[in-house]
Amino acid sequence: MSNNPRPLEGLRIVEVSSFVASPLCGLTLSQLGAEVIRVDPVGGAADTNRWPVTADGNSIYWTGLNRGKKSVTANFREPEGQKLIQDLVTESGPGGGILVTNAGGRAWMSHETLAAKRPDVITLELLGRTDGTPGVDYTVNAALGFPSITGPTDYAGVVNHALPAWDVACGLYAALAITAAVRRRDQTGAGAQITLPLEDTALAIAGTLGYLTEPQLGGGSRPATGNDVYGTYGTDFVTADGGRFMLVALTPRHFRDLVAMTETGDAVAAIEKALGADFTTEADRYTHRGILTPLFAAWFERHTTAEVEDALSKCAVLSERYRTFDEVVESGVLQRNPLFTELDQPGVGTYLAAGLPARFDGEHYFTDPAPALGSSAGF
């Protein structure tokens, strides 16, 4: 382990939050070296006992997102509790004066109130929708359009994503915004009032990736493609013994290797000539995937999972076998990856917990276990 200081050492963040985006922001800042104090109402916020939980009812979710933080509880409805939070934010030294919350709308915790006590205060308020009304990942996603193109192409309904992707992106954007505001304050002495709606996070990413640009330019909504990768050649295949692989041929070399592996060279060449297609281009590989895929699929159906894994290990095509979470854990990949280290979490048990994915000078940053709710009073 390096003795070099972490990038954000000396910062103190007060986090008044719940659920995913705001706690993930705090966790990320903590992994980078900031002191993060999570403040909950007495008895805990709405996510204190959120699933998944242990057999004893302790939240694996809550402890996972609050590793490395301090925990303070306060009565948000009483002047004493409100003052405690105000003082934590405004009297926390040169590296303090920073609040992250998704529990805004309280005058006593507003930027204006805190700035009157400390002019260089930095506040970041995570909102649901752009207009400030409530919204969560799944409602924001429903309104954006992704469930309409997710799932099997022969299914007429909508399919929600299992990963709260907008929450995750919003939490990471929040951590970036805090570090940017601290950088500006170091340069100018100015604080910052930052608002970050979950809805705007989703809209920004969807716009950047073209999902919202195509309709504006007359192309209409992007079609559902099931497990096919939009705009290139990629799809899933099933082996003779029921294994399933995801393959992606992004480049001409990938595609040549896939053709060679599946022994379909003559058939693919004949199709290319008959259609006047050029399979060195992503566009043609994607456009004619309905003809190409059955050719490749026949090879997979004749080979076992082990045989397919061996063949794929010898070629350039991008691939992975579909696994369950149980299989990922049982495979030993966590033990082999230095991203993970053993953590003894009181109330939950000992398990391998991930650190910060980015390596600084070859080092992952890890945190201590999550505190017990309210255990850091008087720290």
Side-chain angles (χ1 to χ4, degrees):
M1 295 291 289
S2 170
N3 292 320
N4 294 327
R6 298 190 186 192
L8 300 185
E9 283 187 13
L11 292 186
R12 173 181 281 185
I13 316 294
V14 176
E15 175 196 314
V16 181
S17 69
S18 58
F19 297 108
V20 178
S22 187
L24 179 60
C25 170
L27 173 63
T28 303
L29 296 171
S30 174
Q31 289 172 324
L32 286 166
E35 178 186 32
V36 179
I37 305 161
R38 171 157 172 165
V39 185
D40 283 281
V42 176
D47 63 340
T48 303
N49 299 308
R50 196 176 189 208
W51 283 17
V53 296
T54 66
D56 296 328
N58 295 311
S59 176
I60 298 171
Y61 166 97
W62 193 93
T63 52
L65 281 168
N66 291 292
R67 286 173 287 146
K69 302 177 186 178
K70 292 182 170 66
S71 175
V72 174
T73 57
N75 189 333
F76 291 11
R77 298 182 180 182
E78 295 295 332
E80 294 80 4
Q82 297 170 9
K83 185 176 185 303
L84 169 66
I85 295 171
Q86 291 173 344
D87 290 347
L88 280 174
V89 175
T90 62
E91 298 179 3
S92 48
I98 306 170
L99 171 69
V100 174
T101 185
N102 67 333
R106 296 173 167 91
W108 57 268
M109 200 171 62
S110 68
H111 181 84
E112 292 76 14
T113 298
L114 296 172
K117 296 175 175 289
R118 178 168 177 160
D120 70 346
V121 72
I122 296 169
T123 62
L124 187 148
E125 182 180 357
L126 291 108
L127 306 173
R129 297 170 64 185
T130 307
D131 62 6
T133 55
V136 295
D137 186 286
Y138 295 98
T139 59
V140 165
N141 195 54
L144 188 57
F146 281 96
S148 299
I149 64 169
T150 301
T153 54
D154 58 356
Y155 177 62
V158 294
V159 177
N160 287 338
H161 53 205
L163 174 73
W166 307 126
D167 275 335
V168 171
C170 192
L172 298 176
Y173 267 127
L176 175 62
I178 288 293
T179 55
V182 169
R183 165 78 168 167
R184 188 180 74 168
R185 187 173 71 178
D186 288 345
Q187 293 174 319
T188 68
Q193 180 181 9
I194 307 166
T195 55
L196 178 57
L198 186 65
E199 181 180 22
D200 284 0
T201 299
L203 286 167
I205 293 174
T208 299
L209 296 180
Y211 290 95
L212 303 179
T213 308
E214 292 170 280
Q216 294 178 74
L217 300 179
S221 294
R222 188 172 301 184
T225 59
N227 284 344
D228 293 346
V229 180
Y230 179 76
T232 191
Y233 188 80
T235 194
D236 61 314
F237 295 96
V238 180
T239 67
D241 54 353
R244 187 179 292 269
F245 288 80
M246 182 66 196
L247 272 68
V248 181
L250 285 174
T251 69
R253 181 191 174 191
H254 294 157
F255 189 74
R256 288 195 302 271
D257 276 15
L258 176 59
V259 171
M261 184 187 77
T262 56
E263 303 168 348
T264 55
D266 291 343
V268 169
I271 292 170
E272 189 174 30
K273 181 178 180 180
L275 295 175
D278 180 2
F279 290 151
T280 66
T281 67
E282 284 189 296
D284 280 4
R285 295 195 296 271
Y286 175 73
T287 299
H288 301 295
R289 66 193 186 281
I291 299 173
L292 292 169
T293 296
L295 291 177
F296 304 143
W299 181 88
F300 284 87
E301 291 166 0
R302 296 194 303 269
H303 292 80
T304 66
T305 298
E307 290 169 339
V308 170
E309 285 183 324
D310 180 64
L312 287 170
S313 71
K314 299 172 182 175
C315 71
V317 65
L318 306 170
S319 65
E320 270 295 355
R321 182 173 66 84
Y322 283 87
R323 293 175 173 85
T324 65
F325 294 122
D326 283 342
E327 288 176 314
V328 172
V329 171
E330 292 165 0
S331 72
V333 66
L334 275 62
Q335 288 86 347
R336 295 191 298 271
N337 192 329
L339 172 64
F340 290 85
T341 191
E342 191 171 272
L343 183 77
D344 183 10
Q345 177 62 59
V348 171
T350 300
Y351 65 98
L352 293 172
L356 187 78
R359 297 185 190 183
F360 282 72
D361 304 315
E363 178 186 359
H364 289 292
Y365 293 145
F366 299 98
T367 62
D368 292 331
L373 183 69
S375 62
S376 305
F379 64 90

